[in-house]
Amino acid sequence: MTKIQANSSGTRSIDVTDEHLQTIEDYQLFRDLIDSTGYVDEEVLNKLKLNIRSMLESESGKDKRLLDLCLDVVYHPNMKAFGLQQLVTLFINWKNRGNNNLGMTTRAFQGTPFN
């Protein structure tokens, strides 16, 4: 389990497990999420929430792992754009460590300002 910082002051955090990261990978939740500007803002967070909500409302979205990701991370009360930025960075690092086996590359996030 890893804690991501949810705000810039560091007073709030969210716990993220490898299972959460694998669910993001399995559903390709970050694919085409960030537009050409490369910035993670509240609009990007809302887009992610709407995409997940749509999946959960469909028949194929009855996966408990997706629901757990929502409850534990995406819809967490502390989740804001800063937290999503940290989650994307964690996901990229997780993929670079080789904890995936599904072949999505991190090139979609290269050049994105995550500082």
Side-chain angles (χ1 to χ4, degrees):
M1 183 176 307
T2 305
K3 282 191 183 292
I4 59 169
Q5 189 174 327
N7 63 1
S8 58
S9 65
T11 58
R12 298 182 186 268
S13 62
I14 300 171
D15 292 327
V16 180
T17 65
D18 281 348
E19 175 98 4
H20 292 133
L21 297 170
Q22 187 62 52
T23 302
I24 292 168
E25 171 71 16
D26 291 346
Y27 283 93
Q28 299 180 2
L29 295 176
F30 292 159
R31 175 169 275 164
D32 299 326
L33 183 65
I34 300 169
D35 64 14
S36 62
T37 65
Y39 290 102
V40 175
D41 56 14
E42 293 299 320
E43 187 176 315
V44 173
L45 178 59
N46 289 333
K47 181 179 175 183
L48 175 63
K49 288 179 178 181
L50 290 173
N51 289 344
I52 292 174
R53 185 179 303 160
S54 175
M55 289 177 187
L56 287 171
E57 290 174 352
S58 72
E59 283 299 315
S60 61
K62 303 299 183 201
D63 186 355
K64 181 184 178 321
R65 294 177 317 130
L66 186 59
L67 186 57
D68 287 343
L69 175 68
C70 286
L71 295 174
D72 297 342
V73 180
V74 176
Y75 282 91
H76 190 283
N78 293 337
M79 179 57 82
K80 304 290 186 233
F82 187 88
L84 179 57
Q85 177 179 347
Q86 299 303 306
L87 180 61
V88 170
T89 301
L90 174 63
F91 179 74
I92 291 169
N93 292 335
W94 177 79
K95 289 189 61 67
N96 287 338
R97 284 192 317 255
N99 292 325
N100 66 324
N101 57 7
L102 299 176
M104 182 179 154
T105 66
T106 56
R107 278 181 277 147
F109 304 109
Q110 290 177 347
T112 305
F114 291 118
N115 300 342

